[in-house]
Amino acid sequence: MTETLQHNASDAAHSPAGLAAYFDTLPFLGRLTCQRQTLTAGEWTELELVYEVGAVGLADGAWLKLAFKFYSDWALFQTTDPTGANYVSAEYHAGPLVAGQSPATVQALKVRFDQKGHERPFQKAVIIDVVDGYINPGDRIVIRLGDRRQGGAGTRVQTFVEKAFRFRLFIDPLGSSKFAEVPGDCKLEILAGQPHALQVIAPRLVGLGETFDAIVRVDDIWGNTCRDRDLRGTIVVTAPDATQRTQPIALAADDWTFARISGLSFTEAGESKLEARLDDEPFVAATVAYVQSEEGALRPLYADLHVHSDDTVGTNDATYNLTYGRDIAGLDVVGYTVNDFNITEVNWDKAVEIIHGLNEPGRFVCYPGTEWCGNSAAGGDRNVVFLRDGKPRFPFDNEGRSLRSFEWNETTAGTIRPGVWPVDRLHAAYEDDPEGHLLIPHVGGRRCILDWNHPELERLIEIGSAWGQFHWLYTEALARGYRVGASAASDEHQGRCGGGAPATGTFGSRGGLTGVIADRFDRAGVGSALRARRTFATTGERSFAVLSQGKHFMGEVFHAEPEAPLSYRLLGHAGWEEIQLYDGDRLVWSRDLHAEAGLSERSVRVRFGGARIKDRYRAAYWSGAVAVTGAALLAVDGVGFDHPEQSVWRTGLGKLGFKTATHGDVDGIELKLSDLNNAHITIVADLHGYSKIGDPLQPPPHVHAPEARLEVNGKDLISKGSVTLDLPGVELRLVVERVTDQPLPRDLAGEISLSKLELDPGREHPLFLTARQRDQSRIWTSPLFLMPHS
């Protein structure tokens, strides 16, 4: 029996009417839009971004990443408390359907935040999972950063300015974990806020009659220099004999709000004061800088030898960063730095051309440089500063071999190409011309390991940067017998070189500066001084320090003159409170300037400082309380806090709360009491680490010391002077100490008897000074490498 099959109309091909044509109107991967184009640094807001799904659609199991760069200090997003600050949400909005089209089946969107959620540099990521179903083309996903609909405060925007901050969306449309970049980033210009503080930048020491320039600039509360503000003011110059001269200043009305005051000089030796104030800006306090003029003095040059831009992992372009260093930070010397693995050859050549064009002997010395980014297991971070004119030997040597640690950037399509590895092969690449190169080991993300050292190339070591303060690194290097001098830099990723202003994330410390004592103000003269270790390191201030013995200057290697004392000189701004002499890693002499001035019967200070670990995410986050009983708490002042989110506040009668973070630096709280003798002081603090993963509202405790508690009574404090609680970590401690009510010296000089130090005559001794000011700024000299006579 034969069955005849009939061809019915229902067997013909069919599809939703017009859907294919609609798909053709959509970008294949979709589009991302944002309702804002500009933001103010550090502002609180709700930001809404909308992703319109492209023709590709989103399969069941798909996920998305809204990513931004790792160096941003935008407040960490959280997803557990809808009523809290920095809450992030995502919701699905279905688009219209055409005839015959089935609706999407997605059941929910699940949101989380991961600081390592994507590839460098777009590592921080809001991750959105598509749950139980698929999403149609033309549907929308609305992402709210700082969702305020349930009462939250919004989100705190990145605190530093950026011409083109980017949110970039990556999608996994097939649910295969293979991500595609959605074309068209959400670009935002982040602008400086209202005028908050004046800065005066001037050399700390000049020769008598030597002319110099000073810079006056206006910053917002986060340390960004304001822009496009037509402001006027005055500067009052008070000479050592107390005579004054006043001159008006007009700050630039366009672009950065600053003024350069040229041709200043002093004909009388001593300390002069430069005080600047704004007209018609009552909430911007006057500010001062101090300049010491002396016959025959050699003006120290201030250098930042570690500055990044957006050709690798910095903010804004090379020209912006270098001109900021020259015109706004008032730097004399800049070492421009690119991450060696990340820079393209085209961008490197362009940067070198810009650097050579801006280099101007007598005004602004600029060096090209790279950051060798080997892992710590291979030696860790080393900067290479190219000291000579002409084309640097990078990214290839004369035989065409790579001089990178490795190569990985957007053009390598995910392939990592190995270069010179480990660090001794970097040494080998440049050791034929040590005079033309300076290698500086440092602690960044990948901290240097001192198992490697090249004495002819590595003449300095970086003691401080935006990553923190690393006194321990300096002492370890010297204790190993390495002849390295003191340097500090910004390691600036945020467009504010020259000491800069701390951000609120991993770059949470003030960047540093290197003071250079050079005979000539050009590339050759500065380079020679750097390699001779004629340097000191500051935590970003224009302070000054030298150490010598007779004709021998810091950085030198020599046999000591047995009867000649060591001589030192310090110039600062806030008053020197402590000075210490180290022999490598051993403290051998000190002065307590508080005790010398006379300790107060009513004033004490609580200090907390150090770091949890030596590696990345090292910060110790302190959150605690201070309680005073037995005496009235008359006044409270925070000391050393780096930005507005670090503070101390009253919570009740004799009670305080405080919150801060230390990255090797030190913060404090000064208390004035009615009666120290009968007082009892209790400090309790929780210590936690950086929220690299997990809920930012539940930061990880410092497992080795999750809580610090210290109780001190006034009688013991009067007897002992200070009480210290050492904690497991890196120079991690809590201190309660008496302080003076008297002014501390800004100019400090003295001698140290070498014979009283009782140094072992059988070996070389690296002797260096470190000193601290009352505002907790710090300075280090390069060592005298001396051999005592038998």
Side-chain angles (χ1 to χ4, degrees), residues 253-310:
D254 299 320
D255 211 333
W256 285 310
T257 305
F258 82 107
R260 179 180 288 271
I261 302 151
S262 301
L264 294 169
S265 67
F266 300 108
T267 57
E268 182 184 356
E271 184 184 78
S272 298
K273 181 171 71 171
L274 279 60
E275 182 175 12
R277 60 174 61 91
L278 290 180
D279 301 338
D280 304 320
E281 289 286 344
F283 299 108
V284 178
T287 189
V288 302
Y290 298 97
V291 178
Q292 185 80 14
S293 52
E294 295 181 359
E295 184 70 43
L298 194 60
R299 177 166 73 92
L301 304 175
Y302 290 92
D304 187 345
L305 296 172
H306 195 167
V307 178
H308 294 278
S309 85
D310 65 3

Side-chain angles (χ1 to χ4, degrees), residues 612-613 701-706 727-729:
R612 294 184 310 110
I613 58 174
H702 176 38
V703 294
H704 303 295
L727 298 163

Side-chain angles (χ1 to χ4, degrees), residues 151-170:
T155 183
R156 199 263 296 132
V157 170
Q158 174 178 297
T159 67
F160 54 92
V161 300
E162 189 165 6
K163 289 183 176 180
F165 175 94
R166 295 172 183 267
F167 284 111
R168 181 167 292 176
L169 187 66
F170 300 88

Side-chain angles (χ1 to χ4, degrees), residues 519-564:
D519 296 326
R520 298 194 346 255
F521 190 2
D522 57 20
R523 274 183 176 166
V526 173
S528 177
L530 291 170
R531 286 188 45 79
R533 302 177 291 255
R534 294 172 63 87
T535 61
F536 56 87
T538 86
T539 50
E541 302 77 27
R542 293 315 199 268
S543 46
F544 171 82
V546 291
L547 178 66
S548 61
Q549 190 200 33
K551 64 181 181 180
H552 299 292
F553 198 71
M554 57 192 186
E556 290 185 42
V557 182
F558 62 96
H559 285 280
E561 302 171 29
E563 301 304 319

Side-chain angles (χ1 to χ4, degrees), residues 118 125 226 243 303 319 331 359 385 403 408 437 459 476 535 544 585 653 701 734 777 786:
H118 197 67
C226 297
T243 59
T319 300
L331 291 170
N359 185 68
V385 185
L403 294 178
W408 176 83
H437 300 86
R459 311 283 285 191
E476 180 186 339
T535 61
F544 171 82
D585 59 353
L653 188 64
L734 176 62
S777 62
L786 60 82

Side-chain angles (χ1 to χ4, degrees), residues 669-699:
I669 306 169
E670 291 200 3
L671 312 175
K672 186 171 289 294
L673 309 178
S674 62
D675 175 24
L676 178 57
N677 187 63
N678 293 310
H680 188 90
I681 303 169
T682 303
I683 304 103
V684 179
D686 293 326
L687 276 81
H688 59 270
Y690 189 63
S691 297
K692 176 183 173 184
I693 58 174
D695 184 359
L697 299 182
Q698 300 292 327

